[in-house]
Amino acid sequence: MKSRVLNTVLASSAIVLAAAGMTVGPVDLPVGEMVGQLFAGERSASTIVFLELRVPRGVLGLLVGASLGLAGAAMQGLLRNPLAEPGIVGISGSAAFGAVVVFYSGLAALFSLALPLGGIAGAFVGVMVLFILSGRQASTLTIVLAGIAVNAFAGAATALALNLSPNPYAAFEIIFWQLGSFADRSFEHVLFAGPLMAVGWFMLLWRPGDLDALSLGEETAASLGVSLPHLRFRIIAGASFAVGAAVAVSGVIGFVGLVVPHLLRPLVGFQPSRLLLSSALGGAVLVLAADIFVRVLPTATELKIGVVTAIVGAPFFLLLIYRLRQEEV
Amino acid sequence: MLTLLRLASFCFLTLGALCAMAGQSAPKRVVSLNLCADELVLALADKSSIQSVSWLVADPQMSFYADEAGGLHLNRGGAEEVLSLHPDLVVAGTYTTRATRTVLEDHGIPLLILELPESLVEVFEQIRTVADHLGRQERGAGLIAELRRQIEALRVPVQWRGLVYHPNGFTNGAGTLVDEMLAITGYENVASASGVQGFSQFSLERVVMNPPDVLVINQVAEDLPSMADQILAHRALKRSSLQIVEVPFKAWTCGSPALVEGLRILRSATGGQEEISR
């Protein structure tokens, strides 16, 4: 399929889902009346609900989904391994730890940029550990095992930090950090995390051809003029910015970076460069759809969005392991 | 011997008040395991008969009874610790773990479990029960009369729409003690009016769509951030013109005489005697 056609379809689906999500919520908004008030610039309870609650939620779903899809595709291109997903390899988990330390210490209350920066720092440490543990020619097994170790450590450190917080609610909030949610976020979150995610996208999308060259092997890529240390640093830093800032405002939403590139890979002719933008758009589609799903489910307390992505994503993960095992035999 | 003790504990569990009235001597080594139980014990018992209260009640942030608890042994509610105090009456809340209760029952220690009161009538009943168990019936009756007098003095007709808002968007609906406290001090509870029963979630969207005049929140310590508290700082709430009243945790959490202070704070916000806002 032509990239342009695919990307147009994905982008329009994302926009439709974002708009559809803004009509879903605990109260029914009088849409017709509200649109009139919006155009007239009038303020009413419905316009406040729409502008201060629904719109930031939709925008964040779009940005976070795109970050996770893009980071997954780029990591998989760099490591040449389809299991390299930010959640599985522990980048999201370490980002959550970084954000938790900044948030519950009160630093984030002093200046709001501290929260995404904490997430980014945590993510960066997580990726570095992954690289040191798995080395350059990492096998699937090494990457998954390194991911288990990083995830376990980051999860334990997060739980410890939350339990040390003097706020009685903190200890119960581990579920937000582990399973993610967009409930009751505001435009402040969009403003301080959005630009940092965009910095990450810029680094990940810069010179996408390098990843195609790398897919032919490191020597070939080097002979084609690709500077491997530069490429590695760019992807690591880019993934840290995109995932770190995303996790800092939404918690860990797993498996998006696994499912989306996996589904789209055949549609872009297995070309890592073409997969990047499509995965970003596909990530937004998946996260926005999941966020609508948690809102229409008739549960007493809203389901965390990571529950949905894990129920969809974990079987994919198992399927991928099964296929890889068959290839290795 | 053990059977006798079991019999005694059965007596306390089921027919507590009757047994107490049947002329049993008043307990001399009372141990209380829960903040609200502590407050009632401290309000009713002769201090020399109290062996230990929970550590929470000694914190002036958590309770008005911190001074009264001064000098007493403070426990953390574990069965081992309680047994070593050799109590002749243990007062605990319904949330005391099943495991702890079983251990105490197996050792034949008389146990009085206090439910969370859901109305003033239940508060008065509970004061009476605790007073009976402590052999302080007169003190109990006096306290109830005094509370009734103070509460009636604070009662005003409904004039404002109020909503209690806790972290994570929880609220007190119909059938809660706080709902009754709101009614006494002149608020129509928006949550009960919209059909919320008990302690339940009330989405931010519903608050914005149906805004109360007064939003009643628990007084928060600014230096202890949590995601749960963030909901109270959401821009959507700031856009609506609400008066915010902060009630300290210790003034409305327990069905003890401390709730009069909670009523005073709620009342002074509507009565206009002194402006309490954020």
Side-chain angles (χ1 to χ4, degrees):
Chain A
M1 195 189 289
K2 283 237 171 69
S3 280
R4 192 172 299 169
V5 178
L6 176 67
N7 290 341
T8 312
V9 170
L10 289 170
S12 14
S13 315
I15 290 166
V16 168
L17 284 167
M22 290 171 198
T23 65
V24 182
V27 298
D28 291 323
L29 295 178
V31 178
E33 186 189 324
M34 186 192 70
V35 171
Q37 287 166 339
L38 283 175
F39 278 108
E42 283 171 40
R43 224 185 65 180
S44 71
S46 347
T47 61
I48 293 175
V49 166
F50 184 74
L51 292 175
E52 302 287 353
L53 288 160
R54 305 260 176 107
V55 173
R57 184 170 186 155
V59 173
L60 270 185
L62 197 78
L63 298 179
V64 169
S67 295
L68 296 174
L70 176 59
M75 293 285 297
Q76 288 157 26
L78 179 67
L79 291 166
R80 283 170 286 160
N81 190 313
L83 296 185
E85 196 265 343
I88 293 168
V89 300
I91 304 174
S92 307
S94 25
F97 173 61
V100 160
V101 168
V102 169
F103 184 82
Y104 294 90
S105 66
L107 205 58
L110 296 181
F111 78 117
S112 38
L113 263 187
L115 184 65
L117 289 176
I120 290 166
F124 192 76
V125 172
V127 201
M128 290 313 292
V129 171
L130 176 76
F131 266 78
I132 293 163
L133 281 175
S134 59
R136 213 180 274 180
Q137 295 289 333
S139 73
T140 302
L141 188 67
T142 329
I143 288 182
V144 172
L145 288 179
I148 289 173
V150 174
N151 258 331
F153 187 80
T158 305
L160 179 66
L162 291 172
N163 278 293
L164 287 177
S165 161
N167 189 303
Y169 289 96
F172 299 106
E173 285 167 8
I174 190 157
I175 192 148
F176 166 84
W177 293 105
Q178 285 185 337
L179 289 169
S181 172
F182 292 109
D184 299 330
R185 310 273 82 189
S186 75
F187 255 117
E188 286 150 40
H189 297 100
V190 176
L191 288 179
F192 63 65
L196 291 168
M197 284 189 245
V199 170
W201 302 347
F202 186 75
M203 285 193 259
L204 294 171
L205 289 167
W206 182 258
R207 291 179 61 172
D210 286 4
L211 287 177
D212 290 345
L214 186 63
S215 68
L216 304 170
E218 291 196 351
E219 282 83 13
T220 318
S223 72
L224 288 168
V226 174
S227 160
L228 286 173
H230 278 161
L231 175 63
R232 264 188 220 113
F233 178 75
R234 201 158 51 69
I235 304 285
I236 289 176
S240 300
F241 267 80
V243 176
V247 167
V249 291
S250 69
V252 173
I253 302 171
F255 296 102
V256 176
L258 182 86
V259 174
V260 171
H262 175 72
L263 286 177
L264 295 177
R265 204 167 272 122
L267 302 178
V268 296
F270 297 91
Q271 234 178 304
S273 58
R274 289 173 61 200
L275 187 60
L276 293 176
L277 183 59
S278 303
S279 291
L281 296 169
V285 169
L286 176 61
V287 167
L288 287 167
D291 196 37
I292 292 179
F293 186 69
V294 297
R295 275 180 284 175
V296 296
L297 269 192
T299 48
T301 310
E302 192 182 287
L303 199 63
K304 297 282 178 259
I305 185 170
V307 175
V308 180
T309 58
I311 285 173
V312 176
F316 265 96
F317 184 55
L318 295 175
L319 184 75
L320 274 174
I321 291 179
Y322 183 71
R323 284 213 193 136
L324 286 171
R325 201 194 63 189
Q326 285 189 322
E327 279 170 23
E328 277 166 12
V329 169
Chain B
M1 182 62 193
L2 198 64
T3 355
L4 199 70
L5 284 174
R6 271 181 202 278
L7 200 69
S9 93
F10 173 78
C11 183
F12 266 100
L13 275 170
T14 52
L15 311 155
L18 288 176
C19 292
M21 279 182 265
Q24 281 197 352
S25 59
K28 302 220 159 39
R29 302 175 62 83
V30 179
V31 171
S32 156
L33 301 183
N34 150 298
L35 178 65
C36 297
D38 296 335
E39 295 192 350
L40 291 183
V41 167
L42 287 167
L44 293 165
D46 177 37
K47 198 167 173 187
S48 63
S49 70
I50 305 174
Q51 181 77 6
S52 171
V53 288
S54 85
W55 61 290
L56 288 172
V57 80
D59 179 349
Q61 291 282 316
M62 304 290 279
S63 175
F64 288 111
Y65 287 84
D67 286 345
E68 276 89 334
L72 287 173
H73 175 273
L74 304 175
N75 69 71
R76 296 218 167 216
E80 199 175 310
E81 191 182 10
V82 176
L83 287 176
S84 71
L85 292 165
H86 306 292
D88 55 5
L89 175 65
V90 170
V91 190
T94 30
Y95 293 107
T96 303
T97 59
R98 190 68 241 165
T100 309
R101 278 202 231 172
T102 312
V103 173
L104 296 177
E105 283 166 21
D106 284 352
H107 284 78
I109 292 170
L111 202 56
L112 172 64
I113 303 292
L114 302 181
E115 306 273 335
L116 215 58
E118 282 167 352
S119 65
L120 285 174
V121 169
E122 288 182 28
V123 171
F124 298 145
E125 255 169 44
Q126 199 164 70
I127 292 174
R128 203 171 294 126
T129 309
V130 175
D132 286 347
H133 277 76
L134 295 169
R136 306 266 289 175
Q137 287 86 347
E138 256 176 60
R139 171 88 185 103
L143 183 62
I144 292 168
E146 173 65 11
L147 285 176
R148 279 191 200 279
R149 196 188 56 74
Q150 289 177 329
I151 291 167
E152 284 318 307
L154 288 165
R155 193 182 287 277
V156 281
V158 169
Q159 46 190 327
W160 296 61
R161 286 158 44 81
L163 177 72
V164 178
Y165 218 45
H166 293 288
N168 283 331
F170 276 85
T171 190
N172 296 78
T176 60
L177 180 58
V178 169
D179 183 63
E180 195 176 346
M181 290 172 72
L182 287 177
I184 289 169
T185 48
Y187 299 84
E188 182 198 4
N189 186 352
V190 172
S192 351
S194 350
V196 176
Q197 292 282 333
F199 192 67
S200 175
Q201 251 179 344
F202 198 74
S203 76
L204 198 49
E205 293 194 0
R206 287 175 78 182
V207 182
V208 176
M209 289 304 281
N210 193 7
D213 304 315
V214 178
L215 196 69
V216 184
I217 64 172
N218 212 17
Q219 206 167 46
V220 285
E222 300 265 334
D223 53 340
L224 307 175
S226 75
M227 307 293 286
D229 291 323
Q230 270 200 322
I231 194 170
L232 301 171
H234 199 287
R235 288 186 357 172
L237 272 188
K238 291 186 180 160
R239 291 289 156 101
S240 323
S241 48
L242 308 163
Q243 190 191 345
I244 290 181
V245 176
E246 291 188 25
V247 181
F249 171 85
K250 58 183 173 184
W252 63 343
T253 303
C254 287
S256 75
L259 66 84
V260 173
E261 190 52 35
L263 291 172
R264 282 205 188 101
I265 293 168
L266 288 169
R267 170 67 197 279
S268 61
T270 50
Q273 295 150 347
E274 59 179 297
E275 192 73 3
I276 296 187
S277 63
R278 241 181 163 175

